[in-house]
Amino acid sequence: MATASVGFKSREEHRKQQELEEARKAGLAPAEMDEEGKEINPHIPQYMSSAPWYLNADKPSLKHQRKWKVDPNYTKSWYDRGAKTFQADKYRKGACENCGAMTHKTKLCTERPRKIGAKWTNKNIAPDEKIETFDLDYDGKRDRWNGYDTAKYAEVIKRYEARDEARRNFLKEQQLKKLEKKRNKKIDEEESSDADEEDALKHDEAKADESKQMDFSKVEKRVRTTGGGSTGTVRNLRIREDTAKYLLNLDVNSAYYDPKTRSMREDPLPNADPNEKFYAGDNQYRMSGEALEFKKLNIHALQLSEKGQEEVIMQAAPSQAELLFKKYKEAKEKLKKKIQETIMEKYGNAAASVEEIPKELLFGQSEREVEYDRCGRVIKGMELSVPKSKYEEDVYINNHTSVWGSWWKDQQWGYKCCQQTIKNSYCTGVAGIEAAEEAVDLMRTNIERQAAASNDRSGPVEEKRFVTWGGDTPEDLVLDREKLAEALKKEDERKKEEKDERKRKYNVQWNDQVTPEEMEAYRMKRIHEDDPMKNLLH
């Protein structure tokens, strides 16, 4: 109950007041009225409806619960940026020592520091800035768009629209120039007036269809589509009468179609006749046309970065990467041309010395029949010839009657005519084959005879050591293994002394008696001049 702050009440007055409040809550008595003549809800609790004592309220009211402070002077006006007010002619006391303005101090001056300030020169005194103060409420202080003029954005829209319009006009002029050139060229070539009229009609049709061609690459916005998709962009890149990609092959296991990007990378009809199908997958376009040039450009930029020559990022600076790639191709072409000229200068040019072909043969007719399909592609008549090998074929050397590699035995290639495995060998024919077979038989016989002799021979229990190849010692000489090892060590020491004269002693005693083991050690350590491994021994 909104009551005024009154003094002491008696018990009877207090009882009557409570009865009146109960009647107002029950709707039996009219509601209490405030100063402005508005009804006060009787169900409001007393601690909310009673006014504080310091307000000295004489009449019942809920004014103390409302916003009683005066609202600040909140306006939509904002600071006038860059505005100047008064400009003095000479320096004033308390002004900025650098520029001479009274509205800020030297530390807060935003002008360039002068060599000699305005305080001492009294020249070029800067005008005072316009300083404004706004009493803003809570929301006004935090409004990031406060002071923004929406009319400024219209200038941005106008600038972009003017740019797009200029671009469309430029492209239109370029197309008209190309059509004009083609028209003039055809007029010069054709002689009849009928052809001139047809060209004019084509030119008019091209002008009429220009708006359609300009709209071909236009980006259409899609908002709240029937399919429930969100807003996006769609390009008109397919004629509506053409068959869609995903309808070319209805097999579930055929090429995958991505509905989001509208791409089908693989060939939907791989087994169809290539002369009959007009779509072979998106990968066909990736490996042809300008896509290959773009791929080479990316590879060149990556190679430059890897080699550390220049830090080129294709995505960040595409023009720089393309310019470097162009210079690289020009330098490569110059180098290739220079190498070709050097080779021609050294060895001559056989193609230039050939006599010119007569015009009768050059422009003559041919008897070869070529068949084309309805799309202009060759079906038959221009088959590619089988390429020949770059190596010489059927060339026989060194009196051979077969080529190298016509015979194979024991993991080795050879000639079939003489069965030799050495490529530069001279052919020996059938006699060479028979001699080789006899040599093999003789070797086999010698091995068998030696094995039989070693089994029949009886000797002492100690192990026998025979002399090495190339000696004049008797065949029945038997060497002691321990003495032979000792003799080999002495032979090594002797050779070391021969190499280093400093290791030879002053008192050298020579023994003229040579044992068989020492002779055998000398023969084993001796270097044979015809030994192919002699350079690897020491």
Side-chain angles (χ1 to χ4, degrees):
M1 179 80 182
T3 58
S5 59
V6 293
F8 174 77
K9 287 183 180 181
S10 64
R11 183 179 298 178
E12 187 66 25
E13 290 177 351
H14 186 70
R15 185 180 59 81
K16 288 181 180 180
Q17 184 73 26
Q18 283 187 344
E19 288 178 358
L20 182 60
E21 289 178 1
E22 292 294 335
R24 284 173 177 171
K25 289 179 181 178
L28 301 175
E32 192 176 10
M33 308 295 287
D34 62 357
E35 294 177 351
E36 298 177 358
K38 296 179 181 179
E39 294 182 353
I40 299 174
N41 191 350
H43 297 282
I44 297 176
Q46 187 179 6
Y47 73 89
M48 292 179 62
S49 60
S50 60
W53 61 269
Y54 51 83
L55 290 179
N56 297 323
D58 298 333
K59 295 181 180 180
S61 175
L62 290 176
K63 194 174 182 181
H64 61 278
Q65 291 290 346
R66 298 191 183 96
K67 189 177 180 182
W68 57 274
K69 276 191 175 182
V70 181
D71 291 339
N73 186 16
Y74 175 63
T75 59
K76 290 187 178 180
S77 59
W78 200 242
Y79 299 102
D80 193 2
R81 298 179 184 274
K84 308 294 183 182
T85 55
F86 174 73
Q87 185 172 6
D89 296 334
K90 61 181 180 177
Y91 180 78
R92 294 161 291 177
K93 186 178 180 181
C96 176
E97 296 180 359
N98 183 45
C99 65
M102 288 288 293
T103 51
H104 61 268
K105 297 298 180 182
T106 309
K107 288 185 178 180
L108 303 178
C109 185
T110 57
E111 284 195 9
R112 177 183 59 84
R114 303 182 185 181
K115 189 174 182 181
I116 302 175
K119 180 179 179 181
W120 296 277
T121 58
N122 270 330
K123 294 180 181 179
N124 298 326
I125 304 297
D128 299 340
E129 294 93 353
K130 183 179 180 182
I131 298 178
E132 298 176 286
T133 56
F134 298 100
D135 193 6
L136 303 176
D137 60 353
Y138 182 86
D139 294 331
K141 292 176 182 178
R142 290 156 182 82
D143 187 6
R144 60 192 294 262
W145 293 104
N146 195 4
Y148 177 73
D149 187 8
T150 55
K152 292 181 179 179
Y153 191 69
E155 299 177 0
V156 178
I157 296 174
K158 284 182 181 179
R159 185 169 68 251
Y160 278 96
E161 286 180 352
R163 186 196 65 178
D164 295 340
E165 185 67 25
R167 183 180 294 171
R168 282 194 293 270
N169 294 336
F170 177 74
L171 292 174
K172 189 174 181 180
E173 290 176 2
Q174 292 294 325
Q175 288 183 354
L176 287 174
K177 285 181 181 179
K178 288 181 180 178
L179 290 172
E180 197 70 30
K181 285 182 181 179
K182 289 182 180 178
R183 179 173 173 273
N184 295 334
K185 190 174 181 181
K186 288 182 180 180
I187 289 174
D188 295 339
E189 292 177 354
E190 295 176 0
E191 298 176 358
S192 61
S193 60
D194 297 337
D196 295 338
E197 292 176 1
E198 290 177 3
D199 289 339
L201 288 173
K202 289 180 181 178
H203 182 60
D204 295 338
E205 289 175 2
K207 282 185 178 180
D209 293 341
E210 250 177 56
S211 59
K212 297 180 181 178
Q213 293 177 4
M214 293 295 292
D215 294 338
F216 181 76
S217 60
K218 183 180 177 182
V219 177
E220 295 183 356
K221 291 186 176 180
R222 175 182 51 151
V223 182
R224 294 182 183 176
T225 58
T226 55
S230 60
T231 57
T233 56
V234 181
R235 288 188 180 273
N236 293 326
L237 297 179
R238 181 174 68 85
I239 304 174
R240 298 295 102 184
E241 288 77 12
D242 289 350
T243 307
K245 301 175 186 177
Y246 50 84
L247 297 177
L248 293 174
N249 191 352
L250 299 178
D251 187 7
V252 180
N253 298 324
S254 64
Y256 173 71
Y257 175 76
D258 186 10
K260 186 175 183 181
T261 58
R262 298 185 180 182
S263 60
M264 182 181 287
R265 303 191 186 283
E266 298 179 2
D267 190 358
L269 301 170
N271 299 324
D273 186 9
N275 296 324
E276 295 295 332
K277 62 182 178 181
F278 297 94
Y279 179 73
D282 294 341
N283 287 337
Q284 180 189 15
Y285 305 113
R286 288 188 171 194
M287 303 304 294
S288 61
E290 295 183 357
L292 288 176
E293 290 294 326
F294 186 71
K295 189 176 180 182
K296 291 179 182 177
L297 179 60
N298 281 329
I299 293 172
H300 180 256
L302 288 173
Q303 288 177 350
L304 279 181
S305 300
E306 288 176 358
K307 293 178 181 177
Q309 294 180 359
E310 279 200 50
E311 188 66 25
V312 180
I313 301 174
M314 181 63 193
Q315 289 75 17
S319 302
Q320 181 187 6
E322 190 171 357
L323 182 62
L324 290 173
F325 185 55
K326 186 178 180 181
K327 291 181 179 179
Y328 165 74
K329 288 197 293 186
E330 291 177 356
K332 185 178 179 182
E333 194 66 29
K334 287 181 181 179
L335 181 63
K336 187 177 179 182
K337 191 175 181 181
K338 185 178 180 180
I339 294 172
Q340 188 176 3
E341 290 177 355
T342 306
I343 293 173
M344 287 183 179
E345 184 179 352
K346 187 174 182 179
Y347 300 102
N349 188 2
S353 61
V354 179
E355 297 180 358
E356 294 184 359
I357 302 174
K359 292 185 178 180
E360 293 80 7
L361 297 177
L362 187 62
F363 299 104
Q365 297 180 352
S366 174
E367 297 294 332
R368 185 172 58 181
E369 181 181 357
V370 182
E371 186 176 348
Y372 301 89
D373 62 355
R374 62 182 180 179
C375 298
R377 291 173 288 209
V378 178
I379 297 176
K380 64 177 183 178
M382 295 183 68
E383 290 81 5
L384 296 175
S385 58
V386 179
K388 292 185 178 181
S389 173
K390 66 177 182 179
Y391 302 102
E392 295 179 343
E393 297 181 0
D394 299 333
V395 176
Y396 306 109
I397 59 174
N398 296 338
N399 202 29
H400 288 285
T401 57
S402 61
V403 296
W404 169 258
S406 58
W407 186 66
W408 171 265
K409 186 179 181 182
D410 297 337
Q411 307 295 324
Q412 287 184 333
W413 293 103
Y415 295 98
K416 188 178 180 181
C417 55
C418 58
Q419 296 183 1
Q420 293 194 56
T421 57
I422 301 174
K423 188 173 182 180
N424 294 328
S425 62
Y426 195 80
C427 183
T428 56
V430 181
I433 297 173
E434 293 177 354
E437 291 176 353
E438 290 177 359
V440 171
D441 294 340
L442 181 59
M443 186 185 300
R444 197 174 296 148
T445 304
N446 290 338
I447 292 172
E448 292 175 355
R449 184 173 57 191
Q450 188 175 4
S454 61
N455 292 331
D456 296 341
R457 184 178 302 164
S458 59
V461 181
E462 62 178 351
E463 184 182 357
K464 296 182 180 179
R465 176 76 177 178
F466 295 96
V467 295
T468 56
W469 173 83
D472 299 332
T473 56
E475 295 181 359
D476 57 349
L477 180 62
V478 179
L479 300 176
D480 190 357
R481 189 170 183 178
E482 295 179 357
K483 292 183 179 180
L484 181 60
E486 192 175 347
L488 287 172
K489 289 182 180 179
K490 290 182 179 181
E491 183 66 20
D492 290 336
E493 293 176 358
R494 186 184 67 81
K495 286 194 173 184
K496 286 181 182 178
E497 289 180 359
E498 287 182 359
K499 288 182 179 180
D500 194 355
E501 295 290 338
R502 294 175 296 178
K503 291 183 179 181
R504 181 175 292 180
K505 299 178 181 179
Y506 292 105
N507 301 323
V508 182
Q509 295 180 359
W510 296 99
N511 190 4
D512 297 337
Q513 296 179 0
V514 181
T515 60
E517 287 78 5
E518 292 176 351
M519 193 66 190
E520 180 64 17
Y522 170 74
R523 290 195 184 95
M524 291 173 69
K525 294 292 183 179
R526 186 180 58 182
I527 298 176
H528 299 283
E529 295 299 330
D530 54 350
D531 187 2
M533 303 292 288
K534 65 179 181 179
N535 295 327
L536 301 176
L537 291 176
H538 300 287

